[in-house]
Amino acid sequence: MNEDQRSLLLSSSSRFPPPQGVRLSYGTAGFRADAALLESTVYRVGILAALRSLKMDGSVIGVMLTASHNRVSDNGVKIADPSGGMLSQSWEPFADALANAPTSQHLLQLITEFVEKENISLEGVRRAEILLGRDTRPSGESLLEAAKQGISSILGAVAIDMGIVTTPQLHWMVRARNKGIKASELDYFEQLSSSFRCLIDLIPSGSKISEVDEKLVVDGANGVGGEKLEVLRKMLDGMVVEIRNSGKDGGVLNEGVGADYVQKEKFAPSGFGSQDVGLRCASLDGDADRLVYFSVPSKSCNNIDLVDGDKMLSLFAIFIKEQLNTLSKEGTENTSSSYHARLGVVQTAYANGASTDYLKKLGLEVVFTPTGVKYLHEKAAEYDIGIYFEANGHGTIIFSESFLCSLEARYQEFSSVSKGSEQQKAALRLLAVSKLINQAVGDALSGLLLVEAILQHMGWSIQRWSELYKDLPSRQLKVKVVDRTAVITANAETVVVRPPGIQEAINAETAKYPRGRSFIRPSGTEDVIRVYAEASSQEAANSLANSVARLVDQFLGFGSS
Ligand SMILES: CC(=O)N[C@H]1[C@@H](OP(=O)(O)O)O[C@H](CO)[C@@H](O)[C@@H]1O
Ligand SMILES: [Mg+2]
């Protein structure tokens, strides 16, 4: 590292001292905390992003300022790798060390050692390009400045501000830039709208949906997703969409609204109620990378019929399986008859037991990973087509490049020898899905369009979709403890290996409940232990969740020894 670079780092970092008495961890989805604590961390993530770009031969890297479903006073920062996915897990320890370095000297020492180990040249001869995005949180603007300062403290690094965008939009832009395709926000909207229209044009003539099922009402979580859906809606003249909680009418981000609230509390979001009985409703989360659907069952209650990430996964799996079955039918005389694609489905321990049973009965390969998009995405990428969703509505579909190449070739074959055939349509539908779905990360807007297209293709109402299988009643709780990192889990977070004894106690409690299942894990985004329980009745699920929460408090709570 030359003297110019050293003095630049020392002088700039001295303007961003780390918060006292706080230890930050990159967690499930980047650094996340009260916004007032984050300026130094965001500055240092700016440095990290610049180094990551230099390490990746100048590939474009993304930095997103968001705290997703957390309350508005929080904020966070996470990196989008050149593939558009999450930061490589191998760099997370360095990210943690950077964020927690106590002084500028320590920070400089860390960077010096790291760039030597990683063979990163800091002579300023290479260009590093970082796309910056932020959601609608008030703290975003000042944290954006800190990120820019961090980036510009690395010689040759350039920050490009993409403004207020959804998290998936930024990931999509990074992926598109590194694939050498057009990557503006308009390009994003055009890709989604044109591929959506392609699927609508391919709807079988017999599929009809009733008038009441034409309308969709969307809860925008008072966040960035509502305003972006407004733009998209104007490009989709075929869709009847009403957007509420867009953030324009003074509502507070994620407060009583949004996909996390709807999925966890199973309550209708603010602005929804008895006037919406029977309608198809959807809810985005605060940065529009999560989506759930719901319907209001009757005028009497505030509860909802939730159609969660597991059901979206099931809908996508049915549709894709149908197209693959059509393609694998004996080909016409001039095309190859055998056609096999490896379709995989990835879930986490939060997936409702009924969904896993349903998917296995469909003959699908179902595998599990720990919570966090980075784990599911990595696993899904092992298939020709990998579908992953968390129950809370994080998820997407990944198509391998080799599969898409062979699919494109098959589509061309069909177009010349059997134009208009069912095989040709099936190939075109899958190609359209691969363009509509955001393959970088879970994207509430692209997921919503795919759900809408498939429901129209099937001629299904939300009620018909929800009846695919009946969820086992479940309950999630959060428990504040002295130190959540004391809990170490294994087997995709389904068992606790440390502290000793608690898993045996959970097992004994769970055994008391028919079809009981329960697990605990440390949250990566909030300072809590999360408790999940499901059983044959809601009362039993609630009781099991409360019993396990008491065990957590006994073993780990403030009163524990
Ligand atoms: C139970 C739950 O909803 N966990 C969420 C939450 O992670 P935690 O580590 O559980 O806080 O936020 C993550 C990032 O948004 C998301 O990937 C994950 O599904
Ligand atoms: Mg989110």
Side-chain angles (χ1 to χ4, degrees):
M1 187 187 300
N2 64 31
E3 203 38 50
D4 289 350
Q5 181 62 81
R6 287 175 62 82
S7 56
L8 178 57
L9 275 167
L10 280 174
S11 61
S12 66
S13 60
S14 62
R15 297 197 297 274
F16 296 95
Q20 296 308 305
V22 175
R23 177 144 191 89
L24 292 150
S25 164
Y26 198 75
T28 316
F31 293 109
R32 213 172 272 183
D34 185 288
L37 298 174
L38 280 173
E39 202 175 41
S40 163
T41 304
V42 170
Y43 161 81
R44 292 163 181 214
V45 170
I47 294 173
L48 179 75
L51 296 179
R52 184 72 182 155
S53 177
L54 290 172
K55 174 69 180 175
M56 306 296 280
D57 301 324
S59 296
V60 175
I61 295 289
V63 171
M64 182 69 195
L65 298 169
T66 180
S68 182
H69 61 283
N70 288 36
R71 57 177 177 237
V72 67
S73 55
D74 286 354
N75 214 322
V77 58
K78 62 181 179 178
I79 281 187
D81 247 4
S83 64
M86 311 294 275
L87 173 69
S88 163
Q89 292 168 56
S90 62
W91 273 51
E92 287 184 13
F94 178 54
D96 286 355
L98 272 190
N100 295 295
T103 67
S104 291
Q105 285 298 347
H106 280 87
L107 186 68
L108 183 61
Q109 184 61 27
L110 264 175
I111 294 168
T112 306
E113 289 165 3
F114 187 76
V115 297
E116 204 169 312
K117 177 168 77 77
E118 293 290 331
N119 195 22
I120 297 171
S121 158
L122 282 191
E123 307 313 319
V125 292
R126 295 198 73 116
R127 178 180 163 87
E129 199 168 317
I130 293 85
L131 302 188
L132 290 170
R134 66 185 189 277
D135 67 13
T136 54
R137 293 166 190 270
S139 55
E141 205 151 340
S142 63
L143 291 175
L144 175 74
E145 207 39 51
K148 287 178 178 175
Q149 293 288 320
I151 292 165
S152 55
S153 68
I154 297 294
L155 295 174
V158 174
I160 299 170
D161 181 9
M162 305 307 286
I164 291 180
V165 291
T166 68
T167 295
Q169 279 183 311
L170 185 85
H171 284 259
W172 183 90
M173 291 167 179
V174 170
R175 185 172 187 271
R177 281 294 304 275
N178 289 309
K179 289 170 79 75
I181 54 182
K182 295 190 294 179
S184 71
E185 185 174 30
L186 182 59
D187 297 321
Y188 167 85
F189 285 129
E190 281 175 350
Q191 179 166 319
L192 262 58
S193 54
S194 58
S195 44
F196 173 75
R197 269 196 298 274
C198 176
L199 286 172
I200 297 301
D201 293 346
L202 287 166
I203 289 174
S205 51
S207 288
K208 289 275 177 277
I209 54 171
S210 67
E211 200 175 315
V212 73
D213 291 330
E214 278 184 3
K215 180 175 179 180
L216 170 68
V217 192
V218 180
D219 160 29
N222 294 319
V224 58
E227 66 186 60
K228 300 300 181 182
L229 185 55
E230 281 289 355
V231 175
L232 201 46
R233 178 175 62 173
K234 295 186 179 82
M235 300 170 81
L236 299 169
D237 40 21
M239 265 184 88
V240 181
V241 186
E242 180 189 339
I243 301 166
R244 298 180 191 165
N245 304 325
S246 65
K248 297 254 181 299
D249 46 15
V252 178
L253 177 69
N254 292 331
E255 204 164 275
V257 295
D260 192 63
Y261 172 81
V262 171
Q263 187 251 345
K264 295 280 189 313
E265 303 306 325
K266 297 194 177 72
F267 278 157
S270 171
F272 288 72
S274 56
Q275 76 276 16
D276 303 311
V277 169
L279 289 184
R280 187 171 67 261
C281 303
S283 181
L284 320 176
D285 82 324
D287 62 335
D289 66 349
R290 267 158 88 168
L291 168 71
V292 292
Y293 272 72
F294 66 94
S295 61
V296 179
S298 68
K299 292 186 182 299
S300 58
C301 63
N302 199 24
N303 282 1
I304 53 159
D305 282 342
L306 176 69
V307 184
D308 63 5
D310 298 334
K311 288 238 167 94
M312 268 186 284
L313 185 157
S314 302
L315 184 71
F316 292 174
I318 293 168
F319 181 74
I320 286 175
K321 195 168 184 298
E322 181 188 283
Q323 308 318 311
L324 289 176
N325 287 346
T326 303
L327 279 176
S328 62
K329 282 195 181 86
E330 281 309 298
T332 57
E333 63 283 1
N334 301 325
T335 59
S336 52
S337 58
S338 69
Y339 190 85
H340 176 71
R342 202 166 159 243
L343 172 60
V345 166
V346 190
Q347 294 187 305
T348 72
Y350 287 106
N352 193 281
S355 76
T356 307
D357 292 347
Y358 174 78
L359 291 163
K360 287 181 175 172
K361 282 197 188 99
L362 279 182
L364 291 164
E365 184 179 344
V366 185
V367 292
F368 286 82
T369 72
T371 287
V373 162
K374 56 190 172 187
Y375 301 114
L376 291 115
H377 198 99
E378 199 173 302
K379 191 67 187 171
E382 294 175 10
Y383 297 90
D384 290 320
I385 306 175
I387 312 174
Y388 72 84
F389 267 87
E390 297 182 309
N392 62 24
H394 259 313
T396 191
I397 307 169
I398 309 179
F399 293 80
S400 72
E401 288 299 330
S402 58
F403 172 75
L404 287 177
C405 286
S406 72
L407 182 65
E408 182 63 41
R410 296 273 284 159
Y411 171 67
Q412 296 307 332
E413 270 181 37
F414 289 130
S415 301
S416 57
V417 298
S418 58
K419 195 166 178 59
S421 67
E422 287 311 308
Q423 279 90 347
Q424 187 209 21
K425 288 178 191 170
L428 189 51
R429 287 190 189 103
L430 288 174
L431 288 169
V433 171
S434 73
K435 292 188 177 65
L436 174 55
I437 201 76
N438 186 336
Q439 293 194 53
V441 288
D443 182 332
L445 300 185
S446 79
L448 181 143
L449 292 185
L450 184 54
V451 167
E452 293 302 299
I454 295 175
L455 290 180
Q456 288 192 41
H457 175 94
M458 300 287 196
W460 286 359
S461 65
I462 187 168
Q463 289 78 14
R464 171 63 185 82
W465 173 23
S466 184
E467 284 158 11
L468 281 179
Y469 58 82
K470 184 164 176 49
D471 275 339
L472 279 164
S474 65
R475 184 82 175 114
Q476 292 196 45
L477 298 174
K478 304 178 192 177
V479 183
K480 203 89 170 83
V481 294
V482 175
D483 175 14
R484 75 181 196 272
T485 63
V487 173
I488 309 295
T489 61
N491 299 354
E493 300 175 311
T494 54
V495 286
V496 176
V497 292
R498 290 189 60 74
I502 192 169
Q503 188 56 53
E504 290 73 10
I506 292 171
N507 294 345
E509 204 52 44
T510 304
K512 298 173 185 171
Y513 297 86
R515 301 201 67 185
R517 182 169 72 90
S518 181
F519 67 93
I520 67 168
R521 53 179 281 281
S523 163
T525 61
E526 300 171 54
D527 191 14
V528 295
I529 293 289
R530 291 196 191 274
V531 176
Y532 177 83
E534 72 182 39
S536 54
S537 71
Q538 191 60 55
E539 187 190 4
N542 295 347
S543 169
L544 177 53
N546 289 325
S547 304
V548 173
R550 279 194 294 276
L551 288 172
V552 170
D553 199 39
Q554 278 169 7
F555 277 80
L556 297 146
F558 293 90
S560 62
S561 52

